[in-house]
Amino acid sequence: ALSTELKKQTQLREVAGVLLQATSVDNWSQIQSFEAKSDDLLICTYPKSGTTWIQEIVDMIEQNGNVEKCQRAIIQHRHPFIEWARPPQPSGVEKAKMMPSPRILRTHLPTRLLPPSFWDNNCKFLYVARNAKDCMVSYYHFQRMNQVLPDPGTWEEYFEAFINGEVAWGSWFDHVKGWWELKDRYQILFLFYEDIKRDPKHEIQKVMQFMGKHLDEAVLDTIVLETSFEKMKENPMTNRSTVPKSILDQSISPFMRKGTVGDWKNHFTVAQNERFDEIYRKKMEGSSINFCLDL
Ligand code: A3P
């Protein structure tokens, strides 16, 4: 049974039409008044789009491919999560304040809920997008095992909730469209999960250049190897194995679940797929973004 405190944390509350964890909403004014610095790099993702993966890639680049340095802390603690609040632990904002510059931070917020100082300071943003179908599947399994997010219900029920944006951090469609629309106006490196999967070295090189780093081939090869799904699944600093079962129950579904492109085909019925494609066309109308759904 969940403790009362944990149950409280499963609650989601709305901010401007976007569901967030109630504890983040309680802390909303502190989050909105966050003071970004011009040399901040913000890792931005919709949940289940490869956040942990890109964090490890960024950290490996930052540490010049030094594996031991990347073992200094679990991945959740290396880059402050700006909207994170779970008292009495220090909030993401407080952790970011304590961090020396240049800071690398992360968020799942959609553009319209981002603290304005990130835009005002013209920070660098690294956005990773994942195709909606695989993202939905990954989020469904994540909500099954995550005891501080609402129970996802049946797959059929979850399908509706996801389409309607009735999940934590809101609509996938709004999130991806929002960041895509701003990508040429701000310093945004926009990456796709599927591209990293297909050609990790090429995408890692782009991240390296964006971060203003220069690493030689051998180091890049190390980073490709160390950030592979197989390696990260075994790595206790990235696989969430240190999180108590009362929060993440990996016997229900592992955090490093499959790490593939196209697992949606094992979940979507033909009818769901047709319905999804129709809804996708409507919701993404006018956007030039293009996703790969299969490798
Ligand atoms: P699956 O559930 O499809 O396996 P996030 O970190 O944003 O929560 O995203 C988690 C998803 O990214 C999970 O997807 C997880 O397996 C996948 N992932 C994590 N590390 C990965 C890696 N090195 N390569 C490919 N996928 C990875």
Side-chain angles (χ1 to χ4, degrees):
L2 285 177
S3 71
T4 323
E5 189 51 32
L6 278 178
K7 267 191 197 141
K8 201 178 112 205
Q9 288 171 1
T10 63
Q11 288 174 13
L12 299 179
R13 286 224 319 265
E14 222 176 275
V15 174
V18 177
L19 288 173
L20 295 173
Q21 293 205 289
T23 48
S24 297
V25 181
D26 290 340
N27 221 27
W28 197 240
S29 61
Q30 190 195 41
I31 294 164
Q32 280 302 294
S33 56
F34 180 77
E35 290 176 38
K37 298 177 185 170
S38 56
D39 55 359
D40 287 342
L41 168 66
L42 184 62
I43 295 173
C44 315
T45 49
Y46 184 77
K48 310 319 289 175
S49 300
T51 322
T52 314
W53 193 10
I54 195 69
Q55 280 185 267
E56 186 70 359
I57 289 172
V58 164
D59 198 31
M60 280 291 279
I61 293 171
E62 182 71 5
Q63 309 302 335
N64 305 310
N66 185 318
V67 180
E68 287 72 43
K69 283 191 180 161
C70 292
Q71 301 275 339
R72 72 191 178 283
I74 54 171
I75 195 84
Q76 308 90 292
H77 290 170
R78 283 184 246 162
H79 307 124
F81 189 5
I82 57 165
E83 66 269 32
W84 186 248
R86 187 185 279 167
Q89 295 166 33
S91 67
V93 169
E94 284 159 355
K95 285 186 179 171
K97 271 188 193 157
M98 292 185 288
M99 193 180 192
S101 287
R103 304 183 296 187
I104 300 176
L105 312 167
R106 74 175 158 124
T107 188
H108 286 321
L109 291 173
T111 54
R112 62 195 177 85
L113 293 187
L114 197 71
S117 73
F118 281 105
W119 308 120
D120 300 340
N121 284 284
N122 194 32
C123 297
K124 280 189 185 172
F125 304 98
L126 177 46
Y127 190 86
V128 181
R130 186 181 196 184
N131 82 76
K133 293 179 187 178
D134 281 330
C135 193
M136 187 196 298
V137 168
S138 183
Y139 213 165
Y140 168 68
H141 290 293
F142 185 63
Q143 279 191 230
R144 291 198 309 121
M145 61 87 79
N146 188 323
Q147 307 303 308
V148 297
L149 281 179
D151 184 285
T154 63
W155 166 246
E156 288 71 26
E157 287 164 348
Y158 194 72
F159 183 90
E160 299 303 322
F162 186 92
I163 281 175
N164 295 325
E166 291 160 359
V167 294
W169 286 282
S171 158
W172 177 96
F173 305 93
D174 292 346
H175 205 281
V176 167
K177 266 194 300 188
W179 281 97
W180 179 255
E181 276 163 20
L182 292 185
K183 78 175 175 9
D184 300 325
R185 259 206 273 160
Y186 292 94
Q187 301 193 75
I188 301 177
L189 178 65
F190 200 103
L191 299 179
F192 292 91
Y193 178 101
E194 296 76 18
D195 288 342
I196 313 176
K197 192 78 198 176
R198 182 176 39 215
D199 191 349
K201 193 167 176 179
H202 186 255
E203 299 307 300
I204 290 170
Q205 237 157 348
K206 281 204 242 171
V207 178
M208 178 190 79
Q209 279 158 10
F210 186 67
M211 291 171 67
K213 298 276 288 187
H214 304 279
L215 304 171
D216 48 11
E217 287 285 308
V219 175
L220 276 174
D221 289 334
T222 305
I223 297 177
V224 171
L225 182 72
E226 295 296 331
T227 59
S228 67
F229 179 77
E230 293 68 28
K231 279 276 191 171
M232 285 181 60
K233 190 178 171 73
E234 296 311 315
N235 180 349
M237 294 303 175
T238 55
N239 67 15
R240 303 293 205 274
S241 56
T242 59
V243 178
K245 198 175 175 180
S246 58
I247 296 177
L248 295 183
D249 188 344
Q250 303 219 31
S251 69
I252 297 174
S253 178
F255 182 82
M256 293 287 169
R257 194 183 60 88
K258 281 199 176 172
T260 57
V261 178
D263 190 38
W264 61 270
K265 290 177 194 165
N266 301 317
H267 291 75
F268 281 57
T269 64
V270 172
Q272 280 178 329
N273 195 38
E274 282 171 3
R275 187 143 164 265
F276 188 88
D277 287 346
E278 182 64 30
I279 288 162
Y280 185 94
R281 262 193 299 278
K282 284 191 193 134
K283 291 201 188 261
M284 299 301 277
E285 205 178 346
S287 177
S288 59
I289 196 166
N290 207 358
F291 281 91
C292 157
L293 289 152
D294 198 5
L295 282 187

